[in-house]
Amino acid sequence: MVITLERNVPEKQVEEIIKKLNNLGFDIHRSTGVNRTVLGVIGDTAKIDIRDIKILPGVFNVVRISEPYKLASRSYHKDNSVFNIKNVNIGSNEIVTIAGPCSVESEKQLMTIASEVKKAGAKILRGGAFKPRTSPYAFQGLGEKGLKLLRKAAAEFELLIVTEVMDKDQISLVEQYTDIIQVGARNMQNFTFIRELGKSAKPVFLKRGISATIEEWLMSAEYILSGGNKQVILCERGIRTFETYTRNTLDISAIPIAKKLSHLPVFADPSHGTGLRNEVIPMARAAVAAGADGLMIEVHNNPENALSDGAQSLYPEQFSELMTQIKTIASSIGRNI
Ligand code: PEP
Ligand code: MN
């Protein structure tokens, strides 16, 4: 951390700032210029609130030079983390696709979609059994019945499963069925919940919060990692901006940035990221070109009558076409599907 002091700060004030930092356990490297003094703070500053320093009399600016997260950081773990989940490698050179409906609606619906996405090359089946809906009157998911259907479809079509857990009390139930636990965007900063996932043996698919900065997203990953669960997969799913044409703004630049800052695999979800079927394919292509390790795509056999997110769900044929297209993009950047 580097602290720049205001011009011509009296020596007594400089000493007070240094004393305060020494009392917090830091060593100070002082550099005295003609009219500005700069203090280099030596030690682990991750625990301190930078604002507590900013408000000290005589302080002009404070800049962190190391990240506030450790286990999630690439400086802690130089190589990409690769998670082998039932022989699907996540974070490797291979781009992994997760596909399926927004919600599990019925056995017939799920089996039809699972068969289609498998045929097109998806490795993981998605589907919500517990749905975080904006309206309390909207379809809330089939609950455990949905989890059972996911397991059945996964067994029949040799797919892995990812499904959302909405709160702490659901973890032990969902763990019995799923291969990967999804944390929804609305829960990214539910700290008591995500801390609990640090104790889970299942990998966690961590969606970026609707208004979360990249740093906040990585801090949430840190919560899970610091609890002992090393398998966290990041997913950019669009953030809220002033734009209203799309449901969210898929932050493509977050993909290379998260990959630079962290060793964790980074996925993209252009379905929730755009909210519009016609925009999903171009944004999926862009995400792969930007270096995503995988995609999450909503697919529905009858999107006009879907119980949730029909407008952003691809028809199975569109999904299949997308898989063909991203194969070409992947190979042009030295990756495969
Ligand atoms: C989902 O993937 O089903 C979902 C609700 O996504 P998000 O949390 O990103 O809105
Ligand atoms: Mn959805």
Side-chain angles (χ1 to χ4, degrees), residues 102 126 131 272 298 309 312:
C102 179
R126 64 148 287 141
K131 293 302 305 173
H272 294 88
E298 285 187 341
D309 287 350
Q312 66 191 39

Side-chain angles (χ1 to χ4, degrees), residues 185-297:
R186 291 155 192 81
N187 257 329
M188 189 206 83
Q189 286 191 314
N190 182 343
F191 299 119
T192 46
F193 170 50
I194 59 174
R195 193 186 278 288
E196 208 58 35
L197 291 172
K199 299 182 205 151
S200 176
K202 300 280 178 174
V204 175
F205 190 76
L206 181 66
K207 293 267 194 115
R208 181 180 178 186
I210 289 169
S211 297
T213 63
I214 295 170
E215 187 168 294
E216 287 166 339
W217 187 23
L218 294 174
M219 290 303 282
S220 289
E222 190 79 12
Y223 261 87
I224 301 164
L225 297 169
S226 63
N229 187 344
K230 300 285 174 255
Q231 300 188 305
V232 178
I233 303 155
L234 301 167
C235 179
E236 161 59 40
R237 50 77 71 204
I239 48 173
R240 182 156 291 178
T241 66
F242 51 82
E243 183 53 65
T244 54
Y245 190 88
T246 45
R247 182 180 185 186
N248 293 293
T249 299
L250 187 70
D251 184 4
I252 295 282
S253 64
I255 299 166
I257 294 168
K259 293 230 35 109
K260 182 170 82 181
L261 298 176
S262 177
H263 54 90
L264 299 171
V266 179
F267 275 51
D269 170 357
S271 304
H272 294 88
T274 63
L276 299 166
R277 183 180 306 128
N278 293 342
E279 321 312 329
V280 171
I281 293 180
M283 293 313 275
R285 293 191 300 236
V288 171
D293 297 303
L295 295 171
M296 170 173 268
I297 308 285

Side-chain angles (χ1 to χ4, degrees), residues 57-234:
V59 170
F60 175 68
N61 197 18
V62 185
V63 179
R64 269 193 205 282
I65 52 167
S66 55
E67 317 90 342
Y69 43 87
K70 289 194 180 67
L71 305 175
S73 147
R74 202 173 270 281
S75 41
Y76 166 81
H77 191 287
K78 221 162 67 355
D79 299 326
N80 287 338
S81 276
V82 180
F83 308 136
N84 183 282
I85 311 167
K86 294 186 178 168
N87 291 327
V88 173
N89 281 318
I90 294 190
S92 71
N93 209 42
E94 184 185 337
I95 293 165
V96 173
T97 305
I98 301 171
C102 179
S103 303
V104 179
E105 299 171 12
S106 69
E107 179 161 354
K108 188 155 176 286
Q109 173 242 20
L110 191 64
M111 292 297 169
T112 308
I113 298 169
S115 153
E116 295 281 2
V117 300
K118 171 74 184 189
K119 219 169 32 183
K123 295 277 162 65
I124 305 175
L125 177 66
R126 64 148 287 141
F130 296 99
K131 293 302 305 173
R133 305 305 301 280
T134 304
S135 164
Y137 308 116
F139 177 59
Q140 304 285 307
L142 295 180
E144 188 169 8
K145 185 173 162 221
L147 298 173
K148 290 195 163 116
L149 292 176
L150 280 166
R151 203 63 269 165
K152 189 168 174 190
E156 186 155 337
F157 298 103
E158 290 179 36
L159 289 159
L160 265 59
I161 298 171
V162 60
T163 196
E164 179 163 353
V165 178
M166 281 174 52
D167 66 54
K168 210 146 74 48
D169 300 337
Q170 285 170 358
I171 299 174
S172 60
L173 171 72
V174 180
E175 272 178 336
Q176 293 167 41
Y177 295 95
T178 198
D179 299 304
I180 302 170
I181 293 174
Q182 178 168 322
V183 174
R186 291 155 192 81
N187 257 329
M188 189 206 83
Q189 286 191 314
N190 182 343
F191 299 119
T192 46
F193 170 50
I194 59 174
R195 193 186 278 288
E196 208 58 35
L197 291 172
K199 299 182 205 151
S200 176
K202 300 280 178 174
V204 175
F205 190 76
L206 181 66
K207 293 267 194 115
R208 181 180 178 186
I210 289 169
S211 297
T213 63
I214 295 170
E215 187 168 294
E216 287 166 339
W217 187 23
L218 294 174
M219 290 303 282
S220 289
E222 190 79 12
Y223 261 87
I224 301 164
L225 297 169
S226 63
N229 187 344
K230 300 285 174 255
Q231 300 188 305
V232 178
I233 303 155
L234 301 167

